[in-house]
Amino acid sequence: MKNNRKPVVLLIISLLLVLIGSIVAAQLNSSNGEVDVSRIYFDTERGELSGLLYKPDGADSEARPTLVTTHGYLNSAEMQDAQAIEMSKRGYVVLALDQYDHGHSTGTMEKPIPFFSFWPYAIYDAVQYMYEQDYVLKDAEQNGVIAVSGHSMGGFSSTHAVMLDEADYQGSGVRKIHSSLTMGSDYQWVKALGYTDEEINASYGPRPSGKIAGVYDEFFFDAEASAAGQSVVKKDYVSTPEGLGFLGGLESAQAGEFYEVDGAERIIYQPNETHPWNHFSEQSTAHAVDFYDAAFAEYGDVVTVGENGQTWMWKEWFSFIALIGFFLLFIPVINLLTKLPFFNWVYTKSPVALAAPKTPGAKLAGYILLVVGALYPALFFTALHSGDATGMTLLRQISMITIGLAALILIFSFVRNASHSAKMGSGLILVLGIVQYIYLREQERFFATTEWFGAATVNPIVFWAINVAIVTLMILIGYHFVAKKAEGASFASYGLKANAKTIIAALATAIVAVVIGYGLLYLVDAFFKVDFRLWTLAVKTFEDQHVFALLRYAPLFFIYYFIVGLSVNVNTASSAYDGWKGYGISILHFIGGLVLYLAYHYGLLFLTGTGGYPAESLSSIIVIGLVPVLLLAAIYNRYFFRKTGNVYVGAFLNTILMTLITLANTVLYTGL
């Protein structure tokens, strides 16, 4: 019982963090119970849409102005917490919408061009549904008192919804959309549907309309930079032809000022923010409140106008406390689980720590390999994730050089009858070099979004991860046979040695632990209607299609977590890395280079007005999301290696947990 005391105490602490964080987050999400928050589903001709409905007390007896708001590419309804909380507590009905094939929504339409399948109609389909609800206010002429809003891709959907509504108005004489506010989106992708600036601007008609255009937005608000493929630059949208056209064709204008166009006010806000920063910004939220105050000023009898206080950030911080508890939970759960029969098979004999390198050369080699292992994933991230031609050419050339050198060393080893280590090491690197070259040549195939691999933004991450794993394995093999084997290293030293029952028990342990963790999440969702999150890092509930996708993607991600985990174990196998130093090296190995990538990229953007990688808009945002995930993976890998004596529990847990988190928070195409 004494041995169970620490994990039991840690389990209680983690559960308390989840419970306290969730209860307080739920109170803030529902404005202390004055707003009913529920998840709704409704059918459309294009599939099934879902969203979080925020309905203030009294809305069923007195209809309210309504906001339909939605997220951008890769995200889900919960990313609209700020607007949902702030406007619902002011008396508005709010639907925070999952767009088709995101979150809990599913698109059944044909998808010849997948990206154009879900956003063009998502908001307008939701407007059609909301317009029919008794709690949604209509004016005397039966026009809907509904605002539409969205971030990034959600902004495209909002803009197109206004256009569709205006077209319907020509026949019905009813406008269902009262006003619109977009964040982080210009006209770029709406025009890809075949519209002109003039057609888009004319469609707003007499609707109050606004745009939040971040000065450091990675994607939009500078048409010339976007056309040149160098969009990560400082922006001044209000001075561009498109921005001035939106404001009525003015010769000049100021951000933050309302201008009357077609009998309604239009405004452009320009906060000093990046694209994803809009989600997590008191300034952007204040701009949104300011806009709705102006747009719905005449409805001050049913909604609150002029209230400036914001409370949504507190909901985010308490959701973060719950998130910490969730990730902490896996340590005591697995510790307690592996005390049971069958599950205790995960334990193997803890490897004896290797002696620290003695010679300066050995120490230097270790440091060099550590730095290379940390920097390689970042240095070639743009090539592997975005398909940069120059980077990919260089990688293929390096791969060919590796193949040639390994072949020469192998031949030389046989001719000179060199040691078994020389033959084995060079032979393995030769095989891996050939595999890597073929893999690099097939990049387009791995990038393709298919029915089997339908997570469009996950596919390039998988491509990057497997390439990192291949290169890491080559470095690991070379380091082992050149240096570590002579120091007495064996498979057991790295946590690789285990029998079949150990591996099976490790997999079962990881699966059961994840089921317990997500079971807790589903209970929290059922009772409190909140998930665990901070900004873009979120653990949220999922649908059946995400489980099927997990089964397809997990084996690929396992290659990465298993091999990189082994590499970390190699670099921390000596007694010099006991304690927190080992965790530091593990974290450095997983995310050190990526953190430097972000510091360089965004540091130059803020200092000079041009990002370190001006063409890397989406990939740089992907890295922001990868860093916390891989930070946690590094900690789990190190902890469970030290605890069980092998790499398997950490590798399986990281694979299942991190892959499921990723899939539930991004686009997942269905029915391709």
Side-chain angles (χ1 to χ4, degrees):
M1 183 66 184
K2 185 178 180 181
N3 292 334
N4 292 339
R5 185 173 301 165
K6 285 186 178 180
V8 168
V9 170
L10 193 58
L11 177 63
I12 293 171
I13 291 172
S14 62
L15 289 174
L16 284 174
L17 290 173
V18 169
L19 185 62
I20 293 170
S22 298
I23 290 174
V24 179
Q27 282 296 105
L28 293 161
N29 198 39
S30 65
S31 300
N32 295 317
E34 294 182 1
V35 176
D36 177 68
V37 182
S38 61
R39 180 170 296 283
I40 64 170
Y41 295 82
F42 52 94
D43 292 327
T44 75
E45 62 180 282
R46 278 168 275 273
E48 182 182 62
L49 285 173
S50 176
L52 290 170
L53 179 65
Y54 291 71
K55 191 161 61 171
D57 288 347
D60 286 323
S61 57
E62 185 178 25
R64 304 296 179 86
T66 296
L67 168 62
V68 178
T69 182
T70 194
H71 56 85
Y73 196 46
L74 322 180
N75 299 140
S76 61
E78 291 83 358
M79 292 298 283
Q80 296 300 304
D81 275 355
Q83 287 200 70
I85 293 170
E86 293 306 320
M87 301 320 298
S88 63
K89 81 178 186 185
R90 288 166 168 79
Y92 295 78
V93 170
V94 180
L95 174 63
L97 180 71
D98 285 330
Q99 293 194 62
Y100 291 113
D101 288 335
H102 288 71
H104 295 270
S105 295
T106 305
T108 57
M109 73 291 283
E110 292 185 6
K111 300 166 187 175
I113 304 177
F115 181 72
F116 289 96
S117 65
F118 42 81
W119 63 263
Y121 294 96
I123 282 273
Y124 199 49
D125 286 349
V127 167
Q128 303 291 347
Y129 170 81
M130 294 298 286
Y131 179 81
E132 298 299 328
Q133 307 310 307
D134 292 338
Y135 49 77
V136 175
L137 185 64
K138 303 172 186 65
D139 67 15
E141 287 75 37
Q142 292 302 297
N143 295 304
V145 187
I146 301 173
V148 293
S149 177
H151 179 264
S152 190
M153 182 184 71
F156 315 152
S157 190
S158 298
T159 301
H160 195 230
V162 169
M163 300 186 71
L164 294 170
D165 190 48
E166 187 65 11
D168 284 351
Y169 166 76
Q170 304 305 319
S172 67
V174 171
R175 291 186 172 98
K176 296 179 180 178
I177 296 176
H178 170 275
S179 52
S180 72
L181 175 69
T182 64
M183 299 182 182
S185 70
D186 58 14
Y187 293 163
Q188 178 179 328
W189 288 104
V190 179
K191 288 194 291 188
L193 297 177
Y195 300 109
T196 65
D197 284 8
E198 292 74 20
E199 290 172 325
I200 298 171
N201 287 328
S203 294
Y204 291 109
R207 299 174 181 84
S209 301
K211 293 185 176 296
I212 296 178
V215 171
Y216 297 103
D217 190 286
E218 292 92 334
F219 294 95
F220 306 113
F221 308 122
D222 187 329
E224 291 183 6
S226 297
Q230 305 283 317
S231 62
V232 188
V233 295
K234 190 174 181 179
K235 315 291 174 58
D236 183 21
Y237 183 60
V238 76
S239 298
T240 65
E242 183 177 296
L244 292 169
F246 168 74
L247 295 176
L250 303 176
E251 292 185 3
S252 64
Q254 295 294 318
E257 291 189 12
F258 283 99
Y259 294 89
E260 186 173 334
V261 185
D262 293 338
E265 292 186 318
R266 300 187 191 179
I267 190 170
I268 294 174
Y269 302 97
Q270 293 192 169
N272 291 316
E273 297 169 4
T274 63
H275 191 75
W277 195 344
N278 297 154
H279 293 298
F280 208 69
S281 164
E282 291 187 12
Q283 184 177 8
S284 282
T285 304
H287 290 327
V289 173
D290 173 69
F291 172 78
Y292 296 124
D293 280 351
F296 294 99
E298 63 184 292
Y299 297 99
D301 57 329
V302 288
V303 295
T304 301
V305 175
E307 179 186 310
N308 295 321
Q310 296 183 31
T311 56
W312 67 273
M313 278 297 299
W314 291 105
K315 185 268 179 182
E316 294 296 313
W317 291 123
F318 278 97
S319 292
F320 182 44
I321 290 173
L323 181 68
I324 293 171
F326 174 82
F327 285 122
L328 185 63
L329 180 74
F330 290 97
I331 292 176
V333 163
I334 290 177
N335 279 332
L336 292 171
L337 194 62
T338 54
K339 295 182 184 298
L340 300 175
F342 171 72
F343 294 104
N344 60 14
W345 289 350
V346 302
Y347 293 102
T348 55
K349 184 179 179 181
S350 295
V352 177
L354 300 176
K358 298 290 192 300
T359 66
K363 292 180 180 179
L364 179 62
Y367 289 135
I368 290 174
L369 289 170
L370 175 63
V371 171
V372 171
L375 290 182
Y376 174 81
L379 291 175
F380 289 99
F381 186 85
T382 58
L384 296 169
H385 181 275
S386 305
D388 173 67
T390 301
M392 288 302 296
T393 299
L394 179 60
L395 281 172
R396 288 194 292 269
Q397 290 171 345
I398 293 173
S399 181
M400 289 188 287
I401 293 171
T402 301
I403 293 170
L405 286 175
L408 288 174
I409 294 171
L410 182 62
I411 294 170
F412 183 81
S413 299
F414 277 101
V415 170
R416 292 300 183 93
N417 196 27
S419 67
H420 176 72
S421 294
K423 296 174 183 175
M424 179 66 72
S426 58
L428 289 173
I429 292 174
L430 175 61
V431 172
L432 287 171
I434 294 171
V435 170
Q436 185 203 24
Y437 181 78
I438 295 172
Y439 185 65
L440 292 171
R441 295 287 299 184
E442 296 295 318
Q443 184 181 34
E444 288 188 8
R445 179 178 298 178
F446 285 101
F447 268 40
T449 301
T450 64
E451 185 174 3
W452 190 255
F453 293 112
T457 56
V458 176
N459 294 343
I461 297 175
V462 169
F463 184 80
W464 167 83
I466 292 179
N467 196 275
V468 168
I470 294 171
V471 172
T472 300
L473 185 57
M474 286 194 283
I475 294 172
L476 190 156
I477 289 170
Y479 190 37
H480 172 78
F481 284 110
V482 170
K484 286 294 181 181
K485 189 174 182 181
E487 297 174 3
S490 64
F491 285 160
S493 302
Y494 311 141
L496 183 60
K497 188 175 181 180
N499 56 35
K501 70 178 186 179
T502 296
I503 297 172
I504 293 170
L507 176 59
T509 299
I511 292 173
V512 172
V514 172
V515 169
I516 291 171
Y518 270 90
L520 180 61
L521 170 65
Y522 272 86
L523 284 174
V524 167
D525 178 72
F527 283 102
F528 305 121
K529 287 296 176 291
V530 294
D531 55 16
F532 311 142
R533 67 176 50 241
L534 181 70
W535 196 18
T536 59
L537 176 63
V539 181
K540 64 186 305 305
T541 55
F542 50 83
E543 300 290 333
D544 293 346
Q545 61 262 31
H546 295 102
V547 178
F548 296 132
L550 171 68
L551 297 176
R552 297 190 287 268
Y553 279 99
L556 301 177
F557 276 116
F558 179 76
I559 296 170
Y560 171 80
Y561 286 114
F562 180 72
I563 292 175
V564 174
L566 280 179
S567 177
V568 170
N569 295 343
V570 170
N571 282 296
T572 59
S574 73
S575 56
Y577 296 110
D578 285 341
W580 289 106
K581 190 174 180 180
Y583 282 99
I585 295 299
S586 179
I587 291 168
L588 176 64
H589 201 92
F590 270 88
I591 68 169
L594 297 177
V595 171
L596 289 176
Y597 171 100
L598 291 175
Y600 170 72
H601 182 60
Y602 284 103
L604 284 180
L605 176 61
F606 294 137
L607 290 172
T608 69
T610 301
Y613 303 95
E616 298 304 317
S617 49
L618 179 60
S619 60
S620 59
I621 294 173
I622 294 292
V623 174
I624 293 173
L626 275 177
V627 166
V629 167
L630 296 183
L631 169 65
L632 292 163
I635 294 172
Y636 286 151
N637 178 80
R638 175 70 179 171
Y639 177 83
F640 289 113
F641 168 58
R642 304 288 288 181
K643 188 71 178 179
T644 65
N646 60 73
V647 72
Y648 297 100
V649 171
F652 284 129
L653 176 64
N654 284 332
T655 298
I656 299 169
L657 180 60
M658 305 310 175
T659 304
L660 190 51
I661 289 172
T662 301
L663 290 171
N665 281 284
T666 191
V667 57
L668 181 61
Y669 295 105
T670 55
L672 289 179

